Amino acid sequence: MKVKTSELIGAGLDWAVAFAVCPESLRDSVNAEGLPHWSEGWLRNGSPSTNWAQGGPLIDEFNIEILWAGSYVMAKVAHETDSAGSGDTPLIAACRAIVAANLGDEVELPESLR
């Protein structure tokens, strides 16, 4: 089932970010707890949408522009079209922007993440 990038959250968003950033490092879709599970580096049991140690460096790496609109956050990959993301936090917005820039407006999630 395809999910709109703008609606991705939690483990589904984290998996989509890993797939967008480094698909060759995906070892399994999910671990025993149903969370994203990757083989190496920052992706190992990663949660870039909630963990600044993992998601923060992606903001620099992808040159993410962040704009606060009250309590809502918008993000965009600089100099890219169709790379906008939004959410309740800068990490969620940035992760959605990275997914949008690399995978588009919809993502096919593994069955266990739907």
Side-chain angles (χ1 to χ4, degrees):
M1 178 172 93
K2 288 192 176 191
V3 177
K4 290 183 179 183
T5 299
S6 62
E7 296 173 359
L8 287 169
I9 194 76
L13 178 55
D14 294 331
W15 182 91
V17 170
F19 189 71
V21 171
C22 196
E24 67 276 1
S25 73
L26 289 173
R27 185 179 68 190
D28 300 309
S29 296
V30 293
N31 65 18
E33 291 81 36
L35 299 171
H37 184 74
W38 300 279
S39 59
E40 60 187 69
W42 68 268
L43 297 173
R44 186 168 183 81
N45 292 319
S47 187
S49 68
T50 58
N51 184 335
W52 275 98
Q54 295 169 352
L58 294 177
I59 292 173
D60 286 336
E61 182 180 337
F62 285 89
N63 198 18
I64 303 289
E65 300 171 345
I66 295 178
L67 173 68
W68 288 85
S71 63
Y72 201 65
V73 184
M74 293 176 277
K76 181 184 173 305
V77 177
H79 311 294
E80 294 281 335
T81 58
D82 299 326
S83 67
S86 59
D88 295 330
T89 70
L91 286 178
I92 291 172
C95 286
R96 287 177 178 165
I98 291 166
V99 172
N102 290 282
L103 302 177
D105 293 334
E106 291 185 327
V107 177
E108 184 74 36
L109 290 180
E111 186 68 35
S112 59
L113 294 174
R114 295 182 190 154

